[in-house]
Structures are given as structure tokens and as C-alpha cells.
Amino acid sequence: MDKLLSGDKLLSGRRLLVVEDEILVLMMIEDMLGDLGCESVTSAATIERALALIEAQVFDAAMLDMNLDGDDSHTVADALAKHGVPFIYSTGNNDRDMREGFSNRGVLRKPFSFDELTAKLDHLLAP
């Protein structure tokens, strides 16, 4: 967390995609990302919207809810990987329903703290 101690914000100049279908959780995440200096937070509540955004925009990183309105978000994970966008999962599920090839992704368990989010993003974006 040296970046934070030196006055630089972890996400300064970064553009993040947040794929989350719970509006209150999304608002909390957006506030946290803003506190970390994120330049742009784009959100999607559905798989279709997330896929369209991934095709149309460039993101430095993403946060991906494992379950979007009852559907797993595997197709979104595939699209992020195809475009080289590093991402972490967020989930309210107790078990890790990770499929092959994605088990090394960071997972934030909801509800998560600002410090937990910061640590996961710091690890994700480390050079």
C-alpha cells in the first residue's frame, strides 16, 4: 500500500468496469472506487450490457459479480479475459463456484470492507 501512503491514489487515472446487479452494492463500490481515485467507473447490471461495454470501451480492470440475477457471469469473465482486462470477482455466495481457468482470480466476499477492496485491487494491478 505504499502508493496510498505516498499520497498517490491506487486507481488514479484508471477506468474500471463494475458488473453488479444490486444497486446499493453498486453505489457502495462506486464510492469506494472514487475514494481510491478512480477516473471512471462504468457499471452494468446485466450480462448483455456488460458484454456490450467490454466490446465498446477500454477498461484497466473490472469487478465482476459471480451471479447476475440468477445467471452465472462466465460469459462476461470470458470476454474480459479475451480483451486482456484483469478482474476480480465479488460474490455473496459462500462457496467458490470457480470454473477451470479462473480459479486464480481474486474473490471479494460481500459485504466487504474498503481495506479488503483496496488490497484485492492493489494485488490485481501490481506491475
Side-chain angles (χ1 to χ4, degrees):
M1 307 290 164
D2 298 34
K3 294 176 207 145
L4 296 177
L5 296 176
S6 68
D8 290 340
K9 298 278 187 169
L10 175 64
L11 299 179
S12 289
R14 306 261 190 173
R15 298 172 43 86
L16 266 74
L17 172 65
V18 178
V19 183
E20 172 61 59
D21 60 350
E22 296 288 336
I23 189 69
L24 292 177
V25 174
L26 174 62
M27 290 168 58
M28 177 195 73
I29 292 170
E30 287 175 333
D31 285 347
M32 289 180 177
L33 294 176
D35 289 346
L36 290 170
C38 191
E39 177 180 305
S40 170
V41 178
T42 303
S43 63
T46 66
I47 290 170
E48 295 76 20
R49 178 74 178 139
L51 294 174
L53 287 167
I54 293 165
E55 288 299 321
Q57 297 183 35
V58 175
F59 298 101
D60 296 302
M63 289 182 65
L64 177 57
D65 191 345
M66 284 183 172
N67 183 327
L68 295 167
D69 197 28
D71 295 321
D72 69 56
S73 59
H74 295 328
T75 56
V76 179
D78 289 340
L80 290 167
K82 176 183 161 198
H83 285 84
V85 179
F87 68 92
I88 56 175
Y89 283 110
S90 63
T91 185
N93 298 337
N94 290 331
D95 60 341
R96 259 182 97 151
D97 183 23
M98 304 292 285
R99 60 189 242 266
E100 195 171 318
F102 290 91
S103 60
N104 63 337
R105 301 290 173 165
V107 178
L108 278 169
R109 301 257 175 243
K110 297 177 200 173
F112 50 83
S113 70
F114 180 78
D115 289 341
E116 289 169 323
L117 174 65
T118 301
K120 290 288 185 192
L121 289 173
D122 190 45
H123 181 74
L124 181 71
L125 298 170

